[in-house]
Amino acid sequence: MRFQLTEDQLALRNGVRELLARRFGPQELRAAVDEPGRLDRALWRELGAAGFFALRLPEAQDGVGLGLPEAALAFEEAGRALLPGPLVATHLAAGTVPGAAAGEAVVAAVGNGLVEWLARADVVEGDAAGAVPLRSVDPLTPLHRVPGVVAVDPVAVLLTAAEQLGGATRACELAVQHARTREQFGQPIGAFQAIKHLCAEMLVRTETARAAVYAAAVTADPADIHTARLLADEAAVRGARDCLQVHGGMGFTWEFELHLHLKRAWVRTHRAGEATESEESLAAELLAQPI
Amino acid sequence: MDLAYTPEEEEFRARLRQWLREALPTLPPKPSPDDWPGRRAYDLGWQRRLHDAGYGDVHWGASPTVRLIFLEETEKAGAPYVGAGFVGLLHAGPTIAAEGTAEQRARWLPPILRGDEAWCQGFSEPDAGSDLAALRTRAHRDGDDYVVSGSKIWTSHAEVADWCELLVRTDPEAPKHRGISWLAMPMDAPGITVRPLKTLAGSAEFAEVFLDEVRVPVANRVGAENDGWRVTLVTLSFERGTAFVGEVVACRRVLRELAVEARKNGRWDDPALRRRLGRLNAEFRALWRLTQWNVSDAELTGGVPGVGGSVFKLRYSHARQELYDTAADVLGPDSLDLDRSWVLDRLSSLSYTIAAGTSQIQRNIVAERILGLPKGR
Ligand SMILES: Cc1cc2nc3c(=O)[nH]c(=O)nc-3n(C[C@H](O)[C@H](O)[C@H](O)COP(=O)(O)OP(=O)(O)OC[C@H]3O[C@@H](n4cnc5c(N)ncnc54)[C@H](O)[C@@H]3O)c2cc1C
């Protein structure tokens, strides 16, 4: 057992992180917010060329031939960078929808009650009949309400959890940076225990979620995936809230990127079915196996 | 990332499992929680059996992964807990192995492994708890001995221990972290008085220890004089890092038992309770994965667990309390009956956010040592 990132996995993670820092940094993020509903097709193709969507396709099908753990790492970085777009749906469509793997096509998928990026998609997976637009809380994720209940692909649940993990990681980083530098009462606010303990809890939630998400990516076991989802949702949503608190008034502004993390974290909690389903499923699992 | 065990590790697991199947049915009956001499004999007797079967040194002689497998399998099989062997096996032993001289290792390690000698931990004092380095128990040199006076408190297993890992102040003039030394004190030395303290669970788990001019040979000092704080941090990293591994397995078993019980008494039909159990399942599954992650990390960095143990300890101690509070919801009014299972466990779980460093102190450690936030004034 060597439950740590391999050299190759570290390199992959750093590669994605660099690509996103270069192509989707603070300026691009701001520009995206100023033009809600626009999808950067050039970036989408670049992601395709870098293998983001074809990561798990076999090499024989022009894919990268890697597995779920690598996909989880890539999606964690996407979450960290707050990359917009139907990333999970397009990734899952690679190999079945022409152009998805290369980032030529944008693929949206009908989820449970909601569909993201419907109006920008070239292809929509699932029945979007009767979809009604709603005024999305997340300026970077256009949403439609759709009738009906849809079963969610476990891989979508896992990759969403990986994005949540990335968001939680970023929120913790932002909070710690601020706590180290912002001074009040003659010292950095991070020297106050009330702030210090908020930050420590953010890290504890994030690292627990990390272990759960990575393990689920290795085993692909349904109970592991539900676990990852619950822990990652918690880390992302509470992490963003606590990060807001650490930033004081600045945390409540439109200018500061934090609210975008919180809003996206909320969107993701609904993308993969409801948390209660994961809880019920994990409760049932307790009775399924012998003590 | 890989969660598969090597063939050697799987072979170790299979062999251990087989041995446990044969050994456990021959165990003597469990002594009552208040019978400390009985508990000592039972716990150390089990350690002796492990030793004779070749598993004695697994806590610090084996690789972290093998140790993980050992703790997982013994817990799953319902084998006795380390109990009175806790301090010797899980922190005095590893500390002496890491910091002691060859003679010290030869003197103290084999009896711990054979289950001949039990240790206790004399760190806390009435006025030095979270602020451990404020300890005042004095030791001054007299020839080849230290002469020790002062008092210790909350010393678990003190009545039945042969040795105490004792922190003393050897230089009262030095800054508080610099004047401390780590001694191995024989518990039968003249001048030691042990006064048991009753816990809120009604049993005498720990004690107050009074030290009146107790002579401890200078040769019993582990590490350099006045370097005891550094040695202590090694001890504490063992205590927080890996000492709780087996308990996660135990909690996962309890959770399954709770689900079965809830189904039997009808509370399973309450969706709120069911979902709480589901969430706890996620919690302990994640804590198990975090354990595997930390163990793999320790494997790569040479065995001594890092501050990551504080991350685990923080989350785990709260999860454990949540588990037994949920047990109380499953039991309903029966949760007030001390004869029901889980009721005593609920009481003892209250110590988890205090013992081995309170949650507040763990948060300081995580914030300052992992996140690099400034120390407060
Ligand atoms: C069951 C049990 C077994 C134990 N066994 C042993 C043993 O075998 N050997 C041994 O040496 N000790 C043992 N201990 C002692 C244990 O390590 C101490 O109780 C613990 O470190 C806390 O110290 P204290 O009790 O003096 O509380 P205090 O330090 O007085 O703390 C009281 C409260 O104040 C808070 N507090 C204190 N300082 C700060 C701070 N800087 N910032 C924020 N909050 C703070 C604490 O978090 C706590 O909530 C045991 C304790 C228990 C409960």
Side-chain angles (χ1 to χ4, degrees):
Chain A
M1 182 184 72
R2 191 184 179 285
F3 186 37
Q4 295 279 309
L5 301 196
T6 63
E7 294 295 320
D8 287 349
Q9 287 166 340
L10 279 169
L12 174 92
R13 189 192 68 184
N14 293 341
V16 179
R17 187 174 294 184
E18 277 159 28
L19 167 73
L20 293 179
R22 186 161 39 78
R23 279 297 275 110
F24 196 74
Q27 268 176 351
E28 288 81 4
L29 178 63
R30 192 143 310 281
V33 176
D34 291 341
E35 256 189 288
R38 194 181 85 88
L39 197 67
D40 184 343
R41 291 282 183 154
L43 173 56
W44 206 255
R45 277 191 290 273
E46 247 180 272
L47 288 172
F52 189 89
F53 301 117
L55 206 60
R56 290 183 308 125
L57 268 193
E59 286 174 67
Q61 292 174 47
D62 292 332
V64 188
L66 294 173
L68 261 187
E70 287 76 19
L73 292 172
F75 275 80
E76 179 186 345
E77 289 308 313
R80 197 170 164 279
L82 256 178
L83 193 63
L87 296 160
V88 172
T90 304
H91 177 97
L92 286 174
T96 54
V97 172
E104 298 296 336
V106 172
V107 183
V110 176
N112 201 7
L114 290 168
V115 51
E116 300 172 27
W117 290 96
L118 181 65
R120 291 284 163 238
D122 302 311
V123 178
V124 180
E125 301 256 56
D127 179 11
V132 183
L134 53 83
R135 213 154 67 82
S136 174
V137 66
D138 175 10
L140 290 177
T141 311
L143 291 171
H144 281 71
R145 198 94 178 73
V146 283
V149 180
V150 180
V152 181
D153 182 338
V155 176
V157 180
L158 174 66
L159 296 180
T160 299
E163 278 189 60
Q164 293 287 54
L165 173 63
T169 307
R170 179 74 183 140
C172 186
E173 279 170 14
L174 285 170
V176 170
Q177 266 168 26
H178 189 68
R180 290 222 286 246
T181 48
R182 165 73 172 169
E183 292 196 9
Q184 288 290 283
F185 300 98
Q187 57 181 328
I189 56 169
F192 299 117
Q193 277 191 337
I195 294 296
K196 199 175 272 186
H197 289 190
L198 277 180
C199 294
E201 288 295 337
M202 288 167 84
L203 184 81
V204 169
R205 286 193 299 264
T206 304
E207 292 310 304
T208 313
R210 182 181 310 286
V213 169
Y214 291 176
V218 170
T219 67
D221 171 79
D224 279 338
I225 291 177
H226 284 298
T227 296
R229 174 280 159 84
L230 289 175
L231 277 279
D233 277 0
E234 182 203 27
V237 172
R238 292 199 51 193
R241 297 187 89 112
D242 287 352
C243 181
L244 193 155
Q245 184 67 22
V246 168
H247 281 81
M250 186 181 157
F252 193 66
T253 61
W254 185 267
E255 282 305 299
F256 182 52
E257 75 177 74
L258 194 266
H259 69 107
L260 300 170
H261 278 286
L262 177 58
K263 292 165 178 173
R264 187 76 61 84
W266 281 338
V267 168
R268 293 189 201 111
T269 61
H270 291 277
R271 182 189 300 155
E274 300 301 314
T276 50
E277 292 164 25
S278 292
E279 288 165 348
E280 287 283 7
S281 153
L282 282 165
E285 195 254 352
L286 288 173
L287 290 174
Q289 269 173 41
I291 292 169
Chain B
M1 284 185 289
D2 178 9
L3 285 162
Y5 296 92
T6 64
E8 295 76 41
E9 288 161 351
E10 286 297 1
E11 197 198 47
F12 173 83
R13 186 195 296 279
R15 222 175 342 112
L16 174 61
R17 229 180 240 179
Q18 179 58 33
W19 181 77
L20 287 167
R21 242 192 310 268
E22 288 156 19
L24 289 177
T26 67
L27 269 181
K30 230 183 163 128
S32 92
D34 266 332
D35 172 13
W36 265 106
R39 279 175 71 177
R40 179 198 144 107
Y42 181 86
D43 296 344
L44 297 193
W46 173 243
Q47 173 61 24
R48 161 64 69 129
R49 300 273 305 268
L50 286 170
H51 173 267
D52 291 347
Y55 299 109
D57 68 343
V58 75
H59 290 293
W60 73 79
S63 75
T65 307
V66 164
R67 199 171 154 233
L68 179 83
I69 295 171
F70 173 83
L71 291 167
E72 187 182 3
E73 289 302 322
T74 46
E75 184 50 56
K76 274 190 180 158
Y81 178 62
V82 275
F86 184 90
V87 173
L89 286 165
L90 301 188
H91 39 110
T95 305
I96 294 166
E99 298 287 332
T101 62
E103 281 135 39
Q104 291 174 333
R105 292 201 293 267
R107 166 63 190 87
W108 286 307
L109 300 187
I112 294 175
L113 297 179
R114 279 197 308 265
D116 289 342
E117 291 180 349
W119 285 63
C120 63
Q121 179 189 39
F123 284 12
S124 306
E125 296 182 9
D127 292 325
S130 300
D131 189 9
L132 183 56
L135 61 93
R136 283 205 298 243
T137 291
R138 276 291 319 272
H140 66 83
R141 267 202 204 219
D142 182 28
D144 290 337
D145 289 339
Y146 286 111
V147 180
V148 183
S149 291
S151 71
K152 294 287 170 179
I153 197 166
W154 319 127
T155 316
S156 307
H157 319 151
E159 301 125 276
V160 293
D162 304 284
W163 293 91
C164 177
E165 48 171 23
L166 187 74
L167 292 186
V168 293
R169 185 157 300 283
T170 33
D171 181 357
E173 307 302 323
K176 71 179 189 184
H177 292 90
R178 302 266 171 73
I180 295 171
S181 298
W182 196 107
L183 304 182
M185 176 177 76
M187 287 298 284
D188 59 0
I192 300 178
T193 312
V194 175
R195 189 172 74 87
L197 293 164
K198 205 166 164 178
T199 73
L200 56 70
S203 61
E205 283 292 328
F206 45 32
E208 210 164 353
V209 178
F210 301 95
L211 306 164
D212 181 17
E213 310 234 313
V214 180
R215 298 191 82 87
V216 180
V218 172
N220 287 18
R221 192 190 64 230
V222 174
E225 186 167 273
N226 299 327
D227 193 28
W229 187 251
R230 192 186 55 77
V231 180
T232 302
L233 292 182
V234 173
T235 310
L236 294 180
S237 75
F238 281 107
E239 182 172 11
R240 288 170 196 152
T242 44
F244 298 103
V245 169
E247 298 191 15
V248 177
V249 182
C251 287
R252 293 186 69 183
R253 190 187 58 232
V254 169
L255 193 54
R256 289 186 189 286
E257 289 167 358
L258 280 183
V260 171
E261 175 69 23
R263 215 192 10 213
K264 223 162 46 187
N265 72 16
R267 280 169 210 269
W268 184 256
D269 297 336
D270 169 5
L273 179 73
R274 233 168 30 228
R275 293 209 296 265
R276 215 165 140 200
L277 291 169
R279 216 164 243 281
L280 278 167
N281 190 8
E283 185 70 30
F284 285 103
R285 282 175 153 272
L287 281 166
W288 179 246
R289 297 315 191 182
L290 185 60
T291 301
Q292 291 178 311
W293 182 265
N294 286 344
V295 162
S296 288
D297 182 49
E299 193 102 61
L300 291 175
T301 54
V304 176
V307 278
S310 289
V311 170
F312 175 85
K313 202 246 175 197
L314 254 175
R315 182 99 188 182
Y316 172 69
S317 54
H318 289 270
R320 187 181 174 99
Q321 291 175 359
E322 173 72 18
L323 171 70
Y324 286 109
D325 281 347
T326 305
D329 286 355
V330 170
L331 287 172
D334 281 356
S335 66
L336 304 175
D337 176 356
L338 281 170
D339 284 334
R340 284 299 306 247
S341 43
W342 306 316
V343 178
L344 268 179
D345 295 307
R346 185 186 192 199
L347 290 176
S348 53
S349 79
L350 296 170
S351 74
Y352 277 69
T353 46
I354 297 168
T358 69
S359 289
Q360 284 73 32
I361 297 300
Q362 302 300 338
R363 288 189 192 103
N364 286 350
I365 292 173
V366 169
E368 288 165 13
R369 296 207 213 135
I370 302 181
L371 296 176
L373 289 174
K375 276 189 188 293
R377 275 189 250 139

